Amino acid sequence: MLRRRTGAARIVTSALLVLTLGACGASGGASGGDVITEAPSAAEVTPASDTRDFQGELILDLADDPIDPVDGPEPVLPVTVTDNQGTEVEITDISRILPLDLYGTTSRMVFELGLGDNVIGRDVSSSFDEIADRPLVTTNGHELSAEAILDLNPSVLITDTSLGPWDVVLQMRDAGIPVVVVDADRGLDNITSLTMSVAEALGVPERGAKLAERIEAETATSIAGVETIVPTDLNQELRTLFIYARGQAGIYYIFGEDSGADSLIEAAGGYDVSSEIGWSGARPANDEAIISAQPDVLLMMTKGLESVGGIDGLIEQFPALANTPAGQNRRVIAMPDEQILSYGTRTPAVLNALAVALYAPGAL
């Protein structure tokens, strides 16, 4: 369980993310450094004597674990579900499933439910090996293409409100495609409900329960490992600030309480300093907030760090950062957009890697 609180963990307003993530740059190291693809178990490393002395950027891009489908009864159809928007949807055919969302969470869930062979397309965030050969239905980053979706003739579309334009989703409904809208919020507190929403829409609730139980157990094990390297004195926890950036568009946000980032930071053993400065949701970053926060480490999405030219570019944009421990030590931990706030089957590995990067960086 979380160490301090389990408040609702929310990703920022979907419209903001759709707009800004559409300008994503190329993948790779944010400052030309080595990309770390695996991390040892937090339970098996020795924490650094003073992690505040560590200097430099750590770029994490965890290698995909192979899909491990759960077993269970065959799908039972037809099924009628009431989706997250209160719309009653009847699904009679799951032979051509199209699961789409901002972080690729639902597509991986469909594969883990043992229905990967029925998936006919993907969004740009769904890039794991098993789905890589499916055609893209998103353009310019995360924009839905109505033409591409209709060309695939899906028998069911599972999505949320994190992708747009929303008119495209409505157009699919008008075309007679069953569209199930699941919860767009991502957090440790709703992984099970999201898993069950996907499973029930596909007629495999028993498999969903088994998958949710597995994710919860693996997450609990990961958090238990994290606890072994986190300082017992809360005052020794690293002051962590999540900065969302899209330098090309001049967009810089601090993700605060109830943004999804707070839940991530706390579960990985960091001290979410945004709560100390009264920062709620996602709000434009400024020098005053950064200097008040005095972060020891910055948490960022890899493409965001790339877009500003690494820590140097970030300090140029926010000179006050140079007067914080994070700026002085060039201490940034970055992880790909599709991993860091995805909250799903990869959550245990994400939490473990972040904890090691925070408290045992020499082990990476």
Side-chain angles (χ1 to χ4, degrees), residues 330-355:
R330 305 174 61 82
R331 188 83 189 269
V332 182
I333 300 171
M335 183 174 278
D337 307 27
E338 64 270 18
Q339 293 180 18
I340 197 165
L341 288 177
S342 59
Y343 288 112
T345 57
R346 305 207 67 196
T347 295
V350 168
L351 295 179
N352 177 77
L354 290 177

Side-chain angles (χ1 to χ4, degrees), residues 266-316:
E266 292 175 2
Y271 171 63
D272 174 34
V273 72
S274 71
S275 61
E276 184 178 299
I277 63 174
W279 206 269
S280 298
R283 293 162 53 191
N286 57 53
D287 278 319
E288 181 180 1
I290 290 172
I291 203 70
S292 296
Q294 284 294 302
D296 295 310
V297 58
L298 303 178
L299 194 57
M300 298 185 68
M301 297 176 176
T302 307
K303 290 176 181 177
L305 186 58
E306 290 173 351
S307 74
V308 300
I311 187 67
D312 288 330
L314 199 60
I315 291 175
E316 182 177 347

Side-chain angles (χ1 to χ4, degrees), residues 83-98:
D83 73 6
N84 196 59
Q85 293 187 325
T87 302
E88 190 173 278
V89 185
E90 183 182 25
I91 300 95
T92 61
D93 180 3
I94 61 167
S95 63
R96 301 180 63 78
I97 306 169
L98 188 56

